[in-house]
Amino acid sequence: MRCTVLFPLLLAATAVRADFIDHLATAADVGKMKGPHRGSPRVLVIPLVVDDEPFESGQGNAAGFEAELRAFYGPPGAGFGFQRYFAAASLGRFTPEVSVASPVHIPTCPQLGPYTGCAIPRNGISGGDILGSVQLLQDVLRFLDEILVCAQDGPGSGRSCTAGGGADLGEVDVEGPAGVPDGWVDGVLLVSNAPFGGIALPVRWLRDNPLLQFTYPPLPDFTYGSQQVGIVAIAGRSGAPRHAAYVSVHEYGHVLGLADLYNESGSTTDMPYSVMGDWGYDVAASLPDPFSRVVLGWAQLHQVTGPGTLVLPPAAETGKVYKLGTGREFFLLEYRTRGNLTDGDLTVPGGVVVQRVRLDQLPSPNEGSFLGTLANCVNCSAWDPMLLVEQADGRYDLQQSLPRADADDLYRENDALLPSTDTQPRGASHMVSSTNRLDGTPTGLSLTVESITATEARVRVDAPAVADGCAELGWLCRESTCTAGACGTLAGPPDAGHPDAHVADAAVPQDASVPVDAGSPRPDAAVSPDAAAVTPDAATTPDAAITPDAGIPGADGGAAADAGAAPPGEDGPGSGCACTAGDAGAGSFLLAAALATLTRRRHARA
């Protein structure tokens, strides 16, 4: 079946701006397609014990497994843990309240499609077996529903569980778009001693998809009393030294809306310095990368508006990120340091991360487009990614599948990224490190690290003047008010008195003064169309070309260098989609993309 035939079936009746793992291209779909990423939502952790499966090293038995989970998901304290990590990574803006249910026990793994032992091969069902793929998804959805019912009601009524019960999903719905219960459970994590690997499934969307509806008995609707479950994240037993609980931190990033930033195709080394990328699940997690924290509203974001010296305190303490450049391809700069709560995998004390961002590769926010994102991940092309870490040694080793090397990749004292007179497109046969765009277009930008201490990095930058920093930041500041070219700033003294280049921290109000609706954008009625998103002038596309939606700018037709560069809009397939008009890709591959949330996981890497 041709891709152009199957895709409409998968996406039937989904022409709305709401999608899973779209990297917050829209935040208007908290509930069904995303969990809240602000405030103090509730997260229910369900320990699933498969009695005939072993436990991870150090757990020993079911009691040790449960004790480890209660410690990891428990109240804030010392060391790496779920609540502690997210509170630190978000600057206290996302502080989930986690409850660990009584363990659900089942005697053995159920049959899922043709597979037993809870282990689905990495590539799932292949060879164009659409019916086999559909059966696997149906079995998985029924199994997850059974576990949710067991967590609430315990054994009985034909369920396979022998223990469990007492959880109340009604208590896990507190942070809807208006900061009140909305009928959607805030978050559900299933952690098991079985080898599920790591997965996150938009269960309600899959259940409602027409391609899965022709089945008997009917699929569960994931409604429990008055609450619905939109997404279930799962973390299973991993090979030492990895931990299932650690994997769940990455999986919860998907619940929040983030896409994977590793390279599933294996054509490059996974993107480092991100919990969604290259992290081994064995030490304190990497912070979310700068762009991910920006779209979540977890960063202090500053637009560089001209030449000067930037002072970057540790990102783990302040969340400070500088945006260098304009338009739809730019750089984000931050200072990363190794710590007990974050970035435990750094092999050097610290360094400056220089991240190239290319908004044209942001996933589409249209519902169902995540299938294309799974089939063609956002960082699967070495020279056409959404995000790229510029490497201080200029060798582009990561793009050549060579190992990550923090001492060479992070920018440290005297390292520089400069313009180039070479304007040819960058690629495998033409690897020229510079601040030029990847298509070779000069930007006039440069940066040099002047000094690094334990408390700050100083970076000298040269950049063309930007008249209105807030207009340039545009939708990146949708979670808070932008003032003097900065948004998301913290209350209190600005950077302990350190000056910033063209940014007056003291003049920026604290983020708490702006309502953020518990993780979703402000209602349309409260947002002027395109307000602060695009400032029309002679050099940009007029506002009339921008479609406003829930406070988030829509398609701008791909216009270059919009003042407030918007994410891709609704017209046509998303950039991550493997299907375009006339594409002859196999339909079974797109359905397999849905299964990728079950089978693609790098957590199974050896």
Side-chain angles (χ1 to χ4, degrees):
M1 185 182 295
R2 290 174 61 90
C3 172
T4 50
V5 174
L6 180 61
F7 213 38
L9 291 176
L10 289 170
L11 302 183
T14 59
V16 296
R17 287 176 65 88
D19 204 27
F20 179 60
I21 61 168
D22 62 6
H23 229 77
L24 282 294
T26 181
D29 54 355
V30 169
K32 182 177 181 179
M33 303 301 275
K34 293 183 181 73
H37 59 271
R38 303 279 287 219
S40 299
R42 302 285 175 82
V43 176
L44 176 66
V45 174
I46 302 174
L48 172 63
V49 176
V50 181
D51 293 333
D52 63 354
E53 290 288 337
F55 294 89
E56 290 179 356
S57 175
Q59 293 174 346
N61 54 29
F65 170 69
E66 181 181 0
E68 182 176 294
L69 296 191
R70 291 193 181 279
F72 184 77
Y73 296 104
F80 178 54
F82 188 88
Q83 296 185 67
R84 299 184 285 277
Y85 171 80
F86 280 113
S90 69
L91 305 177
R93 295 166 185 174
F94 175 65
T95 54
E97 297 182 6
V98 183
S99 58
V100 179
S102 295
V104 171
H105 282 251
I106 59 175
T108 192
C109 288
Q111 177 130 352
L112 301 174
Y115 305 115
T116 58
C118 295
I120 300 172
R122 180 177 173 81
N123 293 320
I125 295 176
S126 59
D129 185 1
I130 295 178
L131 293 180
S133 299
V134 169
Q135 185 61 57
L136 175 55
L137 271 178
Q138 291 170 344
D139 289 351
V140 168
L141 293 178
R142 291 191 177 101
F143 174 60
L144 292 178
D145 171 68
E146 181 178 2
I147 299 306
L148 290 170
V149 173
C150 286
Q152 289 197 113
D153 302 334
S157 301
R159 295 185 286 275
S160 62
C161 58
T162 58
D168 183 356
L169 288 172
E171 296 180 352
V172 194
D173 174 21
V174 298
E175 286 281 4
V180 296
D182 63 348
W184 291 97
V185 168
D186 295 340
V188 175
L189 267 173
L190 192 158
V191 185
S192 179
N193 68 316
F196 290 109
I199 62 179
L201 280 173
V203 291
R204 183 54 189 262
W205 185 91
L206 289 168
R207 183 267 179 193
D208 290 343
N209 191 276
L211 201 61
L212 301 181
Q213 288 301 299
F214 300 104
T215 180
Y216 185 83
L219 290 173
D221 65 2
F222 293 94
T223 299
Y224 310 90
S226 59
Q227 271 66 44
Q228 301 176 80
V229 172
I231 304 170
V232 176
I234 306 173
R237 186 182 77 244
S238 298
R242 297 181 290 272
H243 303 279
Y246 287 20
V247 171
S248 75
V249 175
H250 170 99
E251 294 309 322
Y252 209 80
H254 293 311
V255 175
L256 301 178
L258 299 179
D260 281 315
L261 297 177
Y262 53 69
N263 186 337
E264 180 60 25
S265 70
S267 61
T268 70
T269 300
D270 297 331
M271 194 187 83
Y273 318 124
S274 179
V275 67
M276 304 310 294
D278 178 40
W279 167 48
Y281 320 110
D282 54 348
V283 294
S286 303
L287 278 174
D289 58 282
F291 183 68
S292 296
R293 297 205 321 282
V294 165
V295 297
L296 287 166
W298 294 359
Q300 297 193 71
L301 179 61
H302 297 254
Q303 174 67 44
V304 175
T305 56
T309 297
L310 311 178
V311 177
L312 281 67
E317 299 173 10
T318 66
K320 177 159 282 191
V321 175
Y322 279 98
K323 178 174 175 283
L324 177 65
T326 60
R328 302 182 67 79
E329 184 171 334
F330 51 84
F331 299 96
L332 296 177
L333 283 61
E334 68 175 0
Y335 179 36
R336 299 286 280 271
T337 53
R338 185 173 59 229
N340 293 326
L341 273 180
T342 60
D343 288 319
D345 60 347
L346 289 183
T347 58
V348 296
V352 175
V353 169
V354 178
Q355 182 182 51
R356 185 186 294 263
V357 179
R358 304 172 72 239
L359 290 181
D360 284 339
Q361 299 304 317
L362 190 68
S364 167
N366 295 337
E367 187 172 327
S369 293
F370 75 91
L371 295 173
T373 301
L374 291 174
N376 184 20
C377 61
V378 297
N379 273 9
C380 277
S381 173
W383 299 100
D384 192 24
M386 179 177 78
L387 302 173
L388 182 150
V389 170
E390 293 289 337
Q391 294 133 70
D393 60 13
R395 295 197 303 254
Y396 285 117
D397 287 345
L398 301 178
Q399 280 61 51
Q400 302 175 74
S401 298
L402 296 174
R404 160 183 167 178
D406 296 342
D408 298 324
D409 298 339
L410 292 169
Y411 282 72
R412 298 193 291 172
E413 196 162 283
N414 298 320
D415 288 332
L417 186 63
L418 305 173
S420 173
T421 57
D422 185 329
T423 58
Q424 294 186 48
R426 276 48 176 160
S429 61
H430 196 72
M431 294 184 288
V432 179
S433 178
S434 75
T435 58
N436 293 22
R437 294 192 175 98
L438 290 188
D439 66 6
T441 304
T443 62
L445 304 171
S446 69
L447 66 94
T448 303
V449 178
E450 294 182 328
S451 64
I452 286 185
T453 68
T455 59
E456 66 178 33
R458 288 180 173 262
V459 182
R460 185 176 71 253
V461 297
D462 195 5
V466 174
D468 188 341
C470 287
E472 179 57 44
L473 291 175
W475 76 280
L476 297 175
C477 287
R478 65 187 172 191
E479 297 279 354
S480 60
T481 295
C482 182
T483 304
C487 60
T489 55
L490 297 172
D495 301 337
H498 295 311
D500 291 317
H502 298 272
V503 177
D505 276 358
V508 182
Q510 67 185 78
D511 187 42
S513 64
V514 182
V516 292
D517 296 338
S520 71
R522 291 177 288 275
D524 278 353
V527 181
S528 301
D530 297 326
V534 176
T535 302
D537 57 36
T540 61
T541 302
D543 263 5
I546 308 295
T547 303
D549 180 77
I552 304 169
D556 62 359
D562 281 352
E570 298 177 299
D571 297 332
S575 59
C577 179
C579 291
T580 55
D583 187 1
S588 61
F589 182 63
L590 269 183
L591 185 56
L595 295 177
T597 48
L598 295 171
T599 62
R600 67 197 162 94
R601 285 296 179 232
R602 290 278 283 45
H603 313 325
R605 66 185 179 189

